[in-house]
Amino acid sequence: MPDRKPLISGNWKMNLNHFEATATLDKLRYLLTKDDYEVVDVSVHPPFTDIRTVQTFIESEKVQIAIGAQNCHWEAKGAYTGEVAPGMLAKLNVSYVIVGHSERRELFGETDEWVARKVKAVFENGMTPILCCGETLEEREGDSHHAKITGQIHAGIEALSAEQVASMVLAYEPIWAIGTGKTASSEDAQEVCGWIRAKVADQKGADAAAAVRIQYGGSVKAANAAELMAQPDIDGALVGGAALDPEEFARIVQYRLA
């Protein structure tokens, strides 16, 4: 298996003001060690209002955590009230941008076309997209989840080069497992992540498929992280609620010690 360094990403969603963000990171920097960063990449994705504070803390304290964002627009500037341009994020040293999270798709009507534009814009601004895909419970029970995920992946990477795909991150997040306490079994998660890698191979070639990192997201906790991370096609985790607790998030990053 290629050496794909795992990426554990904490998606804070609409939680933690900039004071709370500083306190959270201050705890986290003492819980994680140099050894952790050598074997696992770590990113945190705060609300937009926290990013500058997070950047200042991480850079002044020399914490080896990458700065992430939860979303962006695809345009460089313009009359898009309430939106944030990818170039604005790049100026704050953001490394990763979550694109097409199921909550953006389901609650705010983001289409595959919009998501694809965002993926391209993130790359154009020197950052790495974390492209999300996933199915509803109805789609899984109706055995249409493979078709749903294949369509999302195809649209998201169609305009990219094989080299770009190799460098990006894909995140499988079954919608029915997000914030519900339900988690796909490690076998189910592996089956879908393996399917995603096979679809990447079909579309962009074996080398891109072997190199791309695939995260699992959906009620990831310290208790199930090691089992999920042991699967051959799971290269990290997109962590929601558990990322708000520094001790729990640190234990997820340290899954290898469980």
Side-chain angles (χ1 to χ4, degrees), residues 143-202:
D143 203 28
S144 62
H145 59 294
H146 284 145
K148 168 77 171 290
I149 292 164
T150 299
Q152 290 175 330
I153 294 297
H154 178 82
I157 70 174
E158 184 177 14
L160 304 178
S161 69
E163 291 75 20
Q164 286 176 314
V165 173
S167 71
M168 70 188 296
V169 181
L170 304 175
Y172 168 55
E173 36 157 29
I175 297 169
W176 49 270
I178 297 173
T180 63
K182 297 179 181 178
T183 310
S185 70
S186 57
E187 293 79 13
D188 286 341
Q190 163 57 28
E191 188 275 325
V192 176
C193 289
W195 173 275
I196 291 169
R197 199 175 301 282
K199 295 302 147 186
V200 172
D202 291 343

Side-chain angles (χ1 to χ4, degrees), residues 63 68 136 143 156 226 234:
V63 182
T136 64
D143 203 28
I234 297 178

Side-chain angles (χ1 to χ4, degrees), residues 21-57:
T22 299
T24 299
L25 287 171
D26 197 36
K27 292 178 182 176
L28 197 56
R29 70 173 173 142
Y30 287 111
L31 293 167
L32 297 178
T33 69
K34 180 182 177 182
D35 290 343
D36 296 324
Y37 297 124
E38 286 180 353
V39 295
V40 180
D41 287 336
V42 182
S43 66
V44 293
H45 300 251
F48 288 134
T49 53
D50 294 1
I51 291 179
R52 175 59 174 159
T53 300
V54 168
Q55 179 201 15
T56 300
F57 182 90

